[in-house]
Each structure stands twice: as structure tokens, then as C-alpha cells.
Amino acid sequence: GDQIVAFEGRMLGKPGSRERSIEILSEMVGKTHRLITSIALIHPNGSERCATVIHQITMRHLDAD
């Protein structure tokens, strides 16, 4: 399973650093994005199940702390 964020026409991957996390979150304040979560399961008998859920979220105000 994994998640990705769709924001203003871009797919945002893992930020990779604290600084990049702060930059991304600051850009998203007060704006709406989509959180896309997918999971894939494979049973020992070979059957597969996959699911994707998309949530639309509006980021609340965040202060620097």
C-alpha cells in the first residue's frame, strides 16, 4: 500500500527532507488537494485484490511551530 498527493496538477511524492516537507505544507495551506491511497493484496492461492480510495482535503492554517 502507498499514498500520493495530487495538488494543483502535480503528483507530490515523498518530500525527502524536513525542509521540503515544510515548503510543501506551507504551499498547501488553505487549498484543496487529493490524497490517493492504494493497496494491493496477493493471497497465497494467487488471487489478487486491489483498491484505491481518493479523499479530497482542504488544508487548515498551520503556523511555523
Side-chain angles (χ1 to χ4, degrees):
D2 205 358
Q3 295 178 318
I4 193 162
V5 172
F7 178 65
E8 296 186 339
R10 299 175 286 154
M11 299 303 263
L12 304 179
K14 308 294 187 249
S17 70
R18 183 178 190 277
E19 292 76 20
R20 180 69 179 135
S21 295
I22 292 169
E23 182 181 311
I24 291 170
L25 291 172
S26 296
E27 185 179 351
M28 295 171 72
V29 167
K31 298 178 183 173
T32 300
H33 64 281
R34 288 179 290 151
L35 180 61
I36 304 165
T37 305
S38 292
I39 189 168
L41 302 171
I42 301 174
H43 191 275
N45 70 13
S47 64
E48 300 175 8
R49 299 195 107 209
C50 299
T52 298
V53 177
I54 302 173
H55 290 280
Q56 190 159 303
I57 302 165
T58 300
M59 183 72 74
R60 66 181 173 86
H61 175 74
L62 302 172
D63 58 36
D65 293 332

